[in-house]
Amino acid sequence: MKVVNLESQDSIISNYMAELRDCDVQQGRLLFRENLRRIARLMAYEISKTLDYAPQLVHTPLADRNVRTMNERLVVGTVLRAGLAFHEGFLDVFDKADAGFVAAYREEGTKENIRIQLDYLAAPHLEGSTFLLVDPMLATGGSLTLAYDTFCRNGQPRKLHICCVIAAPEGIRRLEEAFPSDDVTLWVAAIDDHLNEQAYIVPGLGDAGDLSFGEKLSH
């Protein structure tokens, strides 16, 4: 698996990341969601440089012109609910992409024995597609690998891009074990220090789902 860390080069993403992390700024839910969308749009642009293109004849009011346009079928798959705003940013750029959703949540536990539950799938067929699996936070990697396996009930994609805002080293190692092929790329806006005993990313930013949509009741 290839890892592309967008933080390794200065860009406006760093400004959006600072606002996402800041305890005072992040309390504005609208801005928090918009910063997730902004990062997704910029990440999608970087991904677009790696895709396949083919010439297409376009008829303008004055003459015809050959232009190179993207020639891949994209599917953007998201883990509910924290991934929703991030997901929208990718669809802003890849406006013809299909979309899929799974609902995954973690049961309480430490990072050594945490359990992931998944109870919803709505997705198109993935066979032969370029699949973007997007989720803001890569902690243990458990929910992402489970989500991918679940999406693959609908077919095997040709290429896989995993897209996250913040990743922990533990989660990256798990994905490297799960996806050893060079056909898989992990895109991240930042790689943080470690996971704490509750499997939250440190320093991280807190709970992306709660910051986007409000606190949830646990059942």
Side-chain angles (χ1 to χ4, degrees):
M1 181 182 77
K2 295 180 288 187
V3 179
V4 179
N5 181 7
L6 299 179
E7 192 180 39
S8 62
Q9 185 174 12
D10 285 340
S11 76
I12 192 61
I13 289 177
S14 297
N15 288 54
Y16 305 148
M17 290 295 299
E19 292 184 344
L20 283 175
R21 294 184 190 269
D22 190 295
C23 291
D24 295 323
V25 178
Q26 67 178 202
Q27 297 307 311
R29 292 180 191 170
L30 180 62
L31 179 58
F32 188 87
R33 294 193 300 267
E34 181 57 27
N35 279 330
L36 289 177
R37 283 189 286 265
R38 287 167 167 170
I39 293 169
R41 293 174 195 133
L42 293 170
M43 190 174 288
Y45 171 71
E46 294 298 325
I47 293 171
S48 75
K49 299 176 185 178
T50 73
L51 302 178
D52 295 334
Y53 290 77
Q56 176 183 343
L57 185 64
V58 176
H59 306 290
T60 83
L62 299 179
D64 293 345
R65 174 68 187 265
N66 269 309
V67 297
R68 291 181 60 79
T69 58
M70 190 182 68
N71 191 33
E72 296 192 37
R73 175 176 171 261
L74 298 185
V75 179
V76 180
T78 299
V79 181
L80 299 174
R81 66 179 172 146
L84 283 174
F86 198 44
H87 176 96
E88 290 172 355
F90 285 95
L91 292 185
D92 287 343
V93 176
F94 300 125
D95 57 303
K96 294 180 174 60
D98 291 332
F101 303 89
V102 297
Y105 62 94
R106 61 164 67 181
E107 293 183 341
E108 292 304 318
T110 66
K111 61 183 178 181
E112 285 78 20
N113 63 9
I114 198 164
R115 295 179 300 278
I116 306 296
Q117 295 294 326
L118 191 147
D119 56 13
Y120 176 80
L121 169 66
H125 75 90
L126 268 63
E127 195 67 37
S129 69
T130 295
F131 184 44
L132 278 61
L133 179 57
V134 308
D135 191 14
M137 310 299 284
L138 171 58
T140 67
S143 61
L144 271 176
T145 53
L146 179 59
Y148 179 74
D149 291 342
T150 304
F151 276 119
C152 286
R153 296 175 189 171
N154 290 7
Q156 191 69 33
R158 184 172 65 95
K159 289 190 290 187
L160 173 62
H161 296 273
I162 302 171
C163 308
C164 303
V165 176
I166 299 177
E170 295 91 332
I172 294 175
R173 287 194 293 269
R174 181 163 183 172
L175 293 187
E176 287 173 335
E177 294 171 0
F179 303 107
S181 170
D182 284 342
D183 291 336
V184 177
T185 304
L186 170 65
W187 300 80
V188 296
I191 298 175
D192 277 10
D193 297 339
H194 64 280
L195 297 177
N196 64 17
E197 286 304 311
Q198 288 72 44
Y200 286 103
I201 301 173
V202 180
L205 51 76
D207 189 305
D210 287 358
L211 289 166
S212 293
F213 304 110
E215 292 186 3
K216 57 190 175 295
L217 295 177
S218 297
H219 297 283

